[in-house]
Amino acid sequence: MSTTDVRSNGPSGKDVDLKLEVVVISVSDVDRAKDFYGGLGWRLDADFAFDNGFRVVQFTPPGSGCSIQFGTDITPSAPGSANGLYLVVSDIEAARDGLAARGVDVSEVFHAGTPGAQFQSDGSGRVSKPAPDRASYGSFATFSDPDGNGWLVQEITTRLPGRVDAADTAFASAADLASALRRAEAAHGEHEKRTGQADENWPDWYAEYMVAERAGTELPT
């Protein structure tokens, strides 16, 4: 059968959705890891142990569509070998303060002075404080679990185009929505300064701004 024949017999129409929902990490002490991630305020979804020694524990960060799993006989990877695990937030300073309040040894907020500095475990190339002008995608904080699995907290406010469908804009939590409203309020204040008059249709302007920011399309002025 030719390549052309194989392709012609394949599925047609829209591709099936492939949703990344779980990332497996390796830990040396399951109960210690469970205490750590539970202490972060993450939701415990499962803790299943079986007679043959297999055990799987699953946690989901607040507002996340993806979970983590760890346990016994679940991965051949060395404990602590996962790095650069992204946690996306709308307010990096609030997220960093929240982690610190829970007793996590989290870095100060920083931005990359050299490309890729956010991934350097020795901290080289990092510049303290958020990115200039609080540029979306530019501000970070890092922390690790007891085994050394590394987490990268990144602030994203305005998405790159094509990442989010403008017709399906949603916010994962009340905190994310509140943060978006604050940014829209600040931008709308600048809009009124430019026009020199109060905008009676500010709810429509807010909505347009928030959807555009989320979808990465052109912001209203």
Side-chain angles (χ1 to χ4, degrees):
M1 182 179 291
S2 69
T3 301
T4 302
D5 292 332
V6 172
R7 289 177 177 173
S8 66
N9 291 332
S12 60
K14 183 180 178 181
D15 290 338
V16 175
D17 288 344
L18 299 173
K19 300 177 181 179
L20 178 63
E21 294 198 356
V22 176
V23 172
V24 175
I25 63 175
S26 182
V27 302
S28 59
D29 186 321
V30 178
D31 289 323
R32 182 179 66 173
K34 181 179 177 182
D35 288 342
F36 176 80
Y37 287 105
L40 296 182
W42 295 13
R43 186 185 72 226
L44 175 63
D45 299 321
D47 184 354
F48 300 135
F50 299 84
D51 293 339
N52 65 351
F54 174 69
R55 180 181 177 188
V56 58
V57 178
Q58 178 172 307
F59 279 96
T60 302
S64 176
C66 186
S67 307
I68 62 165
Q69 286 183 358
F70 53 84
T72 306
D73 294 334
I74 193 171
T75 174
S77 301
S81 57
N83 281 290
L85 298 164
Y86 276 76
L87 291 171
V88 172
V89 299
S90 59
D91 187 328
I92 190 68
E93 292 179 320
R96 191 268 168 198
D97 291 346
L99 288 166
R102 290 181 176 274
V104 177
D105 183 12
V106 58
S107 75
E108 296 298 325
V109 174
F110 67 90
H111 63 275
T114 57
Q118 66 269 32
F119 299 108
Q120 305 308 311
S121 59
D122 62 0
S124 60
R126 297 180 180 182
V127 180
S128 296
K129 298 183 178 180
D133 299 323
R134 208 65 179 262
S136 189
Y137 292 91
S139 302
F140 307 92
T142 59
F143 70 94
S144 299
D145 70 11
D147 282 287
N149 292 302
W151 292 90
L152 180 66
V153 186
Q154 181 183 38
E155 181 179 80
I156 298 178
T157 50
T158 302
R159 293 277 179 176
L160 292 172
R163 290 298 309 277
V164 177
D165 186 349
D168 190 31
T169 303
F171 295 89
S173 67
D176 274 358
L177 177 58
S179 183
L181 283 166
R182 292 188 187 96
R183 294 192 299 274
E185 179 186 30
H188 187 260
E190 295 300 316
H191 164 74
E192 289 187 322
K193 287 179 183 178
R194 286 191 294 271
T195 61
Q197 58 185 5
D199 180 11
E200 295 182 355
N201 293 321
W202 63 266
D204 293 337
W205 198 98
Y206 272 40
E208 182 182 355
Y209 184 93
M210 291 164 65
V211 169
E213 182 187 59
R214 190 75 171 166
T217 56
E218 185 176 356
L219 297 172
T221 58

